[in-house]
Amino acid sequence: MGFTEHILGVKILDNFIAIEICDTFGDLNKYDFIYTDYLSSNYNGNTSYSSKIRDIKNGQDYYIINGWKLLSINFPGNWFGNFTYVHLEDRFGRGTSVQAPVNQAIYPDSFKHLIREGLLEALRFTKDTPCVEYEEIIQGLKPVSGSMNIEQFHKLVESVDTYITKYRELRSKLTNEELSSVDDKLKVAVSENISKLFGLSIKIE
């Protein structure tokens, strides 16, 4: 049996997410956006699904969540079910994907659950993360193992210098409100990431 697309109206109120099959000839203004899904690939029975977002108020093909663009929700498969990935873009035009912490499920059977969990993860992520660059700073530097020659060490030092520069540039990009909420976490993360790399106690003031 073939897949039949779903056209859903979505309303987000704080952490409550209402999802329902919508009548496209009815009143759509009660929704924040329209979600339409489609089968994006089918390889020997391994099916994946994707979606399109349409903002009701301005007709744009994304919806703003905490200053981020919600572009789509994707559900890649592995023959046993689908996982939920949310595709986002920050206000600087950089994109990222976040995976919802929900067990895989068969999308056509559990689409509302998978969508809702994806949106909840998008709300959490965008509330805690002002931009992609912030996420990269928090994640830190690549760990080093084994020995290295002087050229490799020089490149390592350069990468740390670039990392610190990105950290300082990020602080200048953030609004005062954003910086006040994440500044301590940023300083701790940068200090710990550099300290781990060199085995030293380094503190970013």
Side-chain angles (χ1 to χ4, degrees):
M1 186 175 180
F3 172 73
T4 302
E5 71 173 21
H6 305 93
I7 302 177
L8 307 173
V10 181
K11 183 73 176 178
I12 300 176
L13 297 171
D14 296 322
N15 282 329
F16 176 76
I17 297 170
I19 301 173
E20 67 179 15
I21 303 291
C22 69
D23 177 5
T24 53
F25 294 101
D27 179 17
L28 301 180
N29 290 317
K30 61 182 178 178
Y31 306 119
D32 290 326
F33 62 89
I34 300 299
Y35 167 102
T36 306
D37 58 15
Y38 60 93
L39 193 152
S40 56
S41 69
N42 186 352
Y43 177 73
N44 290 336
N46 179 24
T47 54
S48 297
Y49 304 88
S50 190
S51 62
K52 296 178 181 178
I53 304 293
R54 191 73 173 171
D55 189 297
I56 291 298
K57 292 179 181 177
N58 54 36
Q60 294 173 322
D61 56 356
Y62 58 83
Y63 179 71
I64 299 294
I65 297 179
N66 294 324
W68 289 70
K69 292 179 181 178
L70 168 66
L71 302 177
S72 66
I73 310 177
N74 288 2
F75 307 90
N78 65 352
W79 279 279
F80 302 103
N82 301 98
F83 295 95
T84 304
Y85 285 88
V86 184
H87 295 281
L88 300 159
E89 183 180 296
D90 67 18
R91 68 177 184 271
F92 303 110
R94 296 194 59 191
T96 190
S97 296
V98 293
Q99 181 179 0
V102 59
N103 292 332
Q104 66 181 5
I106 304 298
Y107 179 79
D109 297 335
S110 307
F111 62 93
K112 285 188 179 181
H113 172 64
L114 292 173
I115 295 166
R116 183 174 286 108
E117 292 299 320
L119 291 173
L120 287 172
E121 179 61 16
L123 288 169
R124 184 205 63 76
F125 177 83
T126 57
K127 181 181 178 182
D128 296 339
T129 311
C131 61
V132 172
E133 196 169 354
Y134 170 84
E135 182 185 22
E136 292 172 346
I137 295 294
I138 294 296
Q139 289 176 350
L141 298 148
K142 292 183 179 179
V144 177
S145 60
S147 61
M148 62 176 62
N149 58 35
I150 191 65
E151 289 81 9
Q152 291 170 326
F153 179 74
H154 181 65
K155 288 182 179 179
L156 175 63
V157 173
E158 286 182 337
S159 72
V160 174
D161 185 56
T162 300
Y163 178 69
I164 294 172
T165 299
K166 285 181 65 176
Y167 158 71
R168 289 173 175 163
E169 289 175 348
L170 173 62
R171 295 184 81 252
S172 69
K173 289 180 182 179
L174 298 179
T175 65
N176 290 334
E177 183 180 359
E178 288 171 334
L179 188 58
S180 65
S181 66
V182 302
D183 198 25
D184 288 342
K185 185 175 179 180
L186 269 174
K187 289 176 180 177
V188 169
V190 173
S191 299
E192 290 182 348
N193 290 333
I194 298 175
S195 296
K196 288 176 184 177
L197 201 62
F198 292 108
L200 301 169
S201 179
I202 299 171
K203 186 175 182 181
I204 300 293
E205 298 293 343

